[in-house]
Amino acid sequence: MVKEKLGTAVFISGRGSNFKNLINFSKKKNSPIVIKLLISNNKYAKGISYALNNKIKKKNFDFKNSKKAEKLALDILKKNKIKLICLAGFMKILSKNFIKKFKGKIINIHPSLLPKYKGLNTHARVLMNNEKFSGCTVHFVNSKLDSGQIILQKKIKIKKRDTIRSLERKILKEEYKIYPKAITKILSKN
Ligand code: GAR
């Protein structure tokens, strides 16, 4: 029997390259998800174009009033029968109340070896501290920034000649691999 694909929403704030990658993943025959909705908090986010190109429903909410935005988001998530939320460069912290409604069903990707280097400007801080390794992490979301149980992590070696840009490029490449893997991992346990 073919298992029905899980209705998924992706939340973004900007470029959306992980969103694009997840769309490609979702189209694979063996993928456990179907992306039904894009939510952004920035109406100029470049990533919105991938929703348009792929006929994925999209909504923009102004998170300056986060309580209102979360309420509107919850309504539309419910309407679209969303069962999994993937944060992909979504630069807002979701409230405890919101997370409770999707307990164990919200995941995030972050470009560092968490719990190290939570927050912004990760690569610059990593380089400034002369770290030998960096990487990326997919984790369950809780109400603290870039925290929550780790699902998968990929470590990469930093070279002397690495810059913020080269590190970002190398780590993004790994992000594109581990995000789909992490989704498959958590859903194969259901
Ligand atoms: C990615 O590197 C992602 O790991 C990071 O933002 C970038 C978004 O790029 N997320 C965080 O820093 C979360 N704290 P994208 O919009 O091209 O996917």
Side-chain angles (χ1 to χ4, degrees):
M1 201 181 82
V2 185
K3 225 174 152 187
E4 207 182 312
K5 292 190 177 199
L6 204 67
T8 299
V10 180
F11 283 34
I12 65 165
S13 295
R15 181 177 52 195
S17 70
N18 273 288
F19 171 45
K20 180 179 175 213
N21 181 58
L22 290 179
I23 295 173
N24 291 338
F25 167 63
S26 73
K27 287 181 179 165
K28 290 191 176 155
K29 208 172 126 218
N30 292 329
S31 161
I33 60 163
V34 52
I35 299 177
K36 288 188 171 170
L37 181 66
L38 171 73
I39 289 184
S40 73
N41 69 315
N42 163 17
K43 61 181 175 198
Y44 303 110
K46 180 172 173 261
I48 294 172
S49 63
Y50 303 122
L52 291 170
N53 294 343
N54 289 279
K55 299 194 173 59
I56 293 169
K57 220 181 266 178
K58 60 173 177 63
K59 281 278 172 190
N60 181 73
F61 298 121
D62 184 356
F63 271 73
K64 274 191 197 108
N65 182 345
S66 60
K67 214 167 169 184
K68 186 176 165 203
E70 285 191 351
K71 194 185 168 314
L72 294 169
L74 281 170
D75 283 349
I76 190 149
L77 289 163
K78 200 168 164 196
K79 239 179 241 156
N80 287 278
K81 299 190 173 65
I82 299 300
K83 303 286 182 227
L84 177 72
I85 297 176
C86 296
L87 307 184
F90 183 66
M91 299 307 188
K92 293 282 168 192
I93 296 181
L94 297 165
S95 72
K96 267 196 188 120
N97 174 57
F98 185 96
I99 293 163
K100 215 165 60 193
K101 301 257 161 59
F102 276 88
K103 205 162 179 277
K105 296 293 178 207
I106 311 180
I107 60 178
N108 180 42
I109 187 148
H110 183 74
S112 80
L113 293 172
L114 290 175
K116 290 176 105 180
Y117 299 101
K118 296 171 182 175
L120 298 174
N121 305 320
T122 316
H123 307 308
R125 289 184 286 134
V126 162
L127 290 175
M128 192 117 83
N129 288 343
N130 288 316
E131 295 282 1
K132 293 204 163 51
F133 297 95
S134 190
C136 46
T137 306
V138 181
H139 64 95
F140 287 107
V141 170
N142 61 20
S143 55
K144 290 192 193 122
L145 176 70
D146 298 324
S147 301
Q149 192 197 328
I150 290 174
I151 302 162
L152 271 185
Q153 201 159 55
K154 173 75 186 181
K155 190 172 175 180
I156 64 143
K157 207 169 158 30
I158 298 175
K159 299 216 168 97
K160 274 219 171 68
R161 59 171 184 277
D162 268 324
T163 60
I164 295 175
R165 284 205 59 131
S166 71
L167 202 54
E168 183 191 14
R169 204 164 38 235
K170 268 197 256 183
I171 291 177
L172 265 175
K173 234 168 118 184
E174 299 302 332
E175 291 185 34
Y176 302 154
K177 290 185 206 154
I178 69 163
Y179 214 166
K181 267 193 198 159
I183 291 170
T184 304
K185 184 177 169 190
I186 60 166
L187 296 181
S188 66
K189 284 182 185 154
N190 285 347

